[in-house]
Amino acid sequence: MKLLNRSFAFLIVAALAAGIFAQQPASNNAPTVERLRTHIEYLASDKLEGRRTGSPGANAAAEYIAREFSRYGLRRSIGQDLPGMSILEADSPNRYLQKFPYVAGVELGKNNSLTVNLVSANVTETPGYSKTQSSEVLRVGEDWLPLGLSTSGQFENAPAILVGYGLSVSELKYDDYANANVAGKVAIAFSGTPDGDNPHGQFARYDDVRWKATAAHAAGAKALVVIVSESNFKDDRLARLHYDNSAGDAGMPVIAISRQAAAKLIAADSLVLTDMEQQLRAQKLHVDEDPAARPPRYLVQVSLSTEVVRREVSAANVVGILDGSDPVLKKEVIVIGAHYDHLGRGGEGSLAPKEGEIHHGADDNASGTAGVLELARIFAAQRPRPRRTIVFIAFSGEEDGLLGSNYYVNHPIVPLADTVAMINMDMIGRMKDNKLIVGGVGTTDGWRRELDALNAAELTATTDPRVNVQQNVSVPLSSNPKPGPTASVVFSNFQLTLNEDGFGPSDHSSFYAKQIPVLFFWTGTHEDYHKPSDTADKINYTDEARILSLVARLVGDLGANDKRPTYTVAKSESTGRAMGFRVYLGTIPNYADSNDGLLLDGVREDSPAAKSGLKAGDRIVKLAGRDVHNVYDYTYAL
């Protein structure tokens, strides 16, 4: 009976709220469902084709965000040229854009050729062996293709040798290069792993061709030839040119070859490719097994020329500045950010089985971008304005390795010394069961207490006559609002999961690496993550508005407080968005810098890296006896 009475009372309050506020204009100080839906539906529309960094869709998204910043009256630049600071283009059509270099794709150059000299099969490998049976020129684009990670290079008559799957995985005691001298030779490997099509097998994490290239390079191979898995070469994922900005090139030529061309190379006896793959998969050769049990290696000579041209374009962060009202505190900055890029039509980073479909990225991260726009609108309309300056940033290149945020912290609009905190929102649109995850609470004393206090406060809803009473959430921008009459509907508090760590798989990591306190808001992963099915109709707009109200109150308090947050080293924890790695060194890689060793943005306090003397700005070029050119080499060495 008490439950019924409470439900009845709730309905009466809601009805009264609707009646009172139906006669009043919608509040400008409230995140609204309608505005969020408008932003997300556009950003996640087919028109923008998934917003892959450097694409026309991403450029259209940047222009949309810039227009919104302009509508809210945000400033376009800091207005003065200070040493070490990047100035936005205040007088150009791109006046809100902070541009940074980006490789949008790779193309074939003019010098790509592959000639194969067939040599007798099952021969003993001896120095100087050169008995040629025949020679064949293979067609680029039809029989073979350089991969996007390939370097340009040229050599003639290099011996080639089959190396199974071309993997070397010490933790699984598996090594296709054991007792195979490939130094100075061309390694030929099957695509895939000994697990076959099993996505949950022990080799699943080594399915990417990067691991084969890294293993071949570490073994001293001159080049790597990967036999595709699809019978039709052009249907195979390796037959498309892609480039991974976070990893750079492989340090040697790497090519994919059709199964038909590969059969001409190595199937010189009754064994066909499929039989050989099945034999390899059945044996799952380990380093401690008898090398004599291995399938025979087939020897050919290869003359190869590769030329891969990288197409560089300008990508851009979108930056808008709201000046603070205090003559002293306005020199200090709060950054509110989210990335607006996504995965385009799939490929690198996608969890869809095939590429080609638009990956809409409604939750990841049109939801966070819409949140930045709503908060920019709210704070720009607030009177008086926050005492501290707020810099609103929509980052690009996050999906490629935090490229945009990394560029910003190394080319800041406002000196990092004056940046008091960074608030990041990534995937805040799919709340379930009232659960909200916040990372970075250990990066300054007081974050946890502040969040608990704000969450415990009553959340108040006002009514926009165009939407349902529970859809337009309005809360004061300070946790100490002035008293006054109001009609309210009480929502239950969030079930908060608070993580200490300031690092994580999103843009706040770039700021925490520069010793800036951070908070990271998100609502968890879901089955549509990095798939075309992450669409705008699945967004929980009502609860996203509630999250933004919480963030607005937090920023309001932060902007009003005389004391700035003090950076604190946080305890390492996983936020759950990335798979863990059992080897721990404590380094923070710079994903935007590759091919000339691994540049470090920082190291975790009290980590093995810190104890050994590594620090931000160092470049790792060798680890465990292996050359390190990029993050893949580094991870492989670990």
Side-chain angles (χ1 to χ4, degrees):
M1 193 57 156
K2 289 181 179 179
L3 179 61
L4 289 174
N5 287 339
R6 287 174 181 170
S7 299
F8 184 67
F10 179 90
L11 291 174
I12 291 175
V13 172
L16 287 173
I20 292 171
F21 287 95
Q23 302 173 20
Q24 299 182 11
S27 170
N28 283 328
N29 291 328
T32 70
V33 166
E34 278 193 346
R35 290 188 179 95
L36 289 172
R37 182 179 284 113
T38 296
H39 295 322
I40 293 174
E41 285 182 346
Y42 175 74
L43 293 170
S45 66
D46 287 352
K47 179 180 179 181
L48 268 60
E49 296 189 295
R51 311 185 307 278
R52 173 72 78 171
T53 300
S55 70
N59 295 338
E63 291 171 5
Y64 177 86
I65 297 164
R67 284 196 303 270
E68 291 299 300
F69 283 174
S70 180
R71 285 179 56 200
Y72 309 150
L74 300 187
R75 191 154 53 82
R76 298 176 294 236
S77 72
I78 61 172
Q80 53 182 326
D81 190 1
L82 299 178
M85 298 170 62
S86 174
I87 307 300
L88 302 184
E89 300 171 86
D91 297 324
S92 76
N94 301 323
R95 53 192 177 275
Y96 287 98
L97 305 187
Q98 181 192 40
K99 296 182 179 180
F100 60 90
Y102 178 78
V103 178
V106 288
E107 301 169 350
L108 290 181
K110 297 179 179 180
N111 300 315
N112 286 285
S113 63
L114 174 61
T115 302
V116 177
N117 299 320
L118 304 182
V119 181
S120 298
N122 288 321
V123 298
T124 302
E125 204 176 322
T126 57
Y129 190 93
S130 60
K131 183 179 179 181
T132 301
Q133 291 182 325
S134 63
S135 179
E136 184 165 354
V137 177
L138 300 180
R139 301 163 298 173
V140 65
E142 299 291 333
D143 301 316
W144 70 283
L145 190 73
L147 300 186
L149 54 83
S150 175
T151 60
S152 297
Q154 184 175 358
F155 56 82
E156 294 183 359
N157 297 324
I161 189 168
L162 182 66
V163 291
Y165 289 103
L167 292 174
S168 179
V169 187
S170 58
E171 66 179 20
L172 298 178
K173 295 183 178 180
Y174 181 97
D175 191 358
D176 282 317
Y177 289 93
N179 303 301
N181 179 18
V182 298
K185 301 183 178 69
V186 176
I188 304 175
F190 288 101
S191 61
T193 75
D195 287 326
D197 296 328
N198 179 10
H200 306 294
Q202 60 182 342
F203 289 90
R205 66 178 297 172
Y206 300 101
D207 183 63
D208 194 286
V209 71
R210 271 277 173 187
W211 297 110
K212 300 179 189 293
T214 302
H217 190 264
K222 200 176 190 72
L224 173 65
V225 176
V226 181
I227 304 170
V228 303
S229 58
E230 297 288 344
S231 57
N232 186 343
F233 181 65
K234 292 186 177 181
D235 289 340
D236 199 276
R237 61 188 175 90
L238 293 181
R240 298 173 181 83
L241 282 169
H242 292 293
Y243 184 78
D244 183 352
N245 277 270
S246 67
D249 64 53
M252 65 179 183
V254 181
I255 71 171
I257 192 169
S258 72
R259 296 182 70 82
Q260 293 76 16
K264 295 177 183 179
L265 295 182
I266 62 177
D269 61 11
S270 59
L271 283 174
V272 297
L273 291 179
T274 302
D275 293 333
M276 296 173 69
E277 286 179 293
Q278 291 175 348
Q279 185 180 1
L280 286 166
R281 195 170 298 142
Q283 291 185 346
K284 291 191 176 181
L285 300 172
H286 289 61
V287 295
D288 55 353
E289 290 180 352
D290 182 5
R294 296 176 177 275
R297 302 183 189 276
Y298 295 86
L299 190 65
V300 299
Q301 289 181 338
V302 171
S303 296
L304 177 65
S305 176
T306 57
E307 184 179 11
V308 178
V309 180
R310 286 159 178 75
R311 180 166 52 88
E312 295 189 2
V313 299
S314 290
N317 300 321
V318 190
V319 186
I321 303 170
L322 181 68
D323 288 319
S325 60
D326 188 281
V328 176
L329 290 182
K330 68 182 298 183
K331 297 178 182 179
E332 297 181 346
V333 165
I334 303 164
V335 173
I336 299 178
H339 76 90
Y340 68 89
D341 64 297
H342 195 53
L343 300 178
R345 290 184 175 269
E348 292 291 336
S350 172
L351 297 180
K354 290 186 177 181
E355 65 181 290
E357 285 188 75
I358 295 173
H359 286 53
H360 298 91
D363 188 31
D364 186 13
N365 184 35
S367 66
T369 305
V372 169
L373 291 176
E374 270 294 80
L375 292 174
R377 179 188 64 80
I378 289 168
F379 282 109
Q382 180 185 342
R383 294 297 182 271
R385 287 183 174 178
R387 298 171 68 196
R388 286 188 170 92
T389 294
I390 303 178
V391 176
F392 299 91
I393 311 178
F395 298 107
S396 191
E398 191 270 354
E399 300 288 4
D400 293 282
L402 316 184
L403 300 183
S405 57
N406 184 279
Y407 185 85
Y408 177 85
V409 298
N410 288 291
H411 305 83
I413 304 303
V414 178
L416 292 184
D418 294 330
T419 302
V420 303
M422 190 273 181
I423 310 298
N424 184 34
M425 298 175 290
D426 195 345
M427 296 176 62
I428 58 171
R430 296 285 287 269
M431 176 173 280
K432 290 184 179 179
D433 302 323
N434 219 30
K435 295 178 180 178
L436 176 62
I437 305 164
V438 186
V441 298
T443 62
T444 188
D445 292 335
W447 275 152
R448 185 181 293 271
R449 292 191 303 273
E450 176 81 0
L451 287 165
D452 285 339
L454 291 173
N455 190 44
E458 181 178 84
L459 296 180
T460 306
T462 62
T463 305
D464 185 326
R466 297 166 293 178
V467 295
N468 182 276
V469 64
Q470 295 187 51
Q471 289 184 310
N472 184 27
V473 181
S474 174
V475 284
L477 298 184
S478 170
S479 58
N480 300 302
K482 295 180 180 180
T486 182
S488 65
V489 178
V490 178
F491 290 88
S492 59
N493 297 334
F494 293 117
Q495 295 184 36
L496 294 179
T497 298
L498 302 181
N499 292 318
E500 296 278 328
D501 204 346
F503 289 112
S506 192
D507 292 304
H508 59 286
S509 292
S510 298
F511 288 80
Y512 183 59
K514 299 294 187 181
Q515 299 189 347
I516 294 171
V518 299
L519 283 178
F520 170 40
F521 290 83
W522 72 298
T523 53
T525 55
H526 44 76
E527 61 183 7
D528 301 305
Y529 175 69
H530 278 200
K531 297 178 182 177
S533 53
D534 181 10
T535 50
D537 60 299
K538 298 175 182 176
I539 297 297
N540 180 346
Y541 291 97
T542 300
D543 281 332
E544 176 167 348
R546 294 178 57 212
I547 294 168
L548 294 175
S549 293
L550 178 67
V551 175
R553 300 175 73 208
L554 173 75
V555 174
D557 284 354
L558 187 60
N561 199 323
D562 287 334
K563 184 179 179 181
R564 64 181 289 174
T566 302
Y567 167 80
T568 303
V569 177
K571 181 175 65 176
S572 298
E573 291 182 307
S574 172
T575 59
R577 284 189 70 199
M579 294 175 61
F581 191 64
R582 286 182 292 173
V583 178
Y584 173 70
L585 191 56
T587 54
I588 311 302
N590 181 326
Y591 291 97
D593 184 279
S594 57
N595 298 329
D596 189 24
L598 184 74
L599 179 65
L600 299 182
D601 271 348
V603 297
R604 293 179 184 267
E605 296 288 337
D606 202 33
S607 66
K611 292 177 180 178
S612 70
L614 287 173
K615 59 185 182 300
D618 285 347
R619 191 180 296 272
I620 297 177
V621 296
K622 189 180 288 287
L623 180 66
R626 301 183 185 275
D627 291 333
V628 174
H629 294 275
N630 50 51
V631 70
Y632 277 88
D633 291 343
Y634 177 68
T635 307
Y636 180 75
L638 285 177

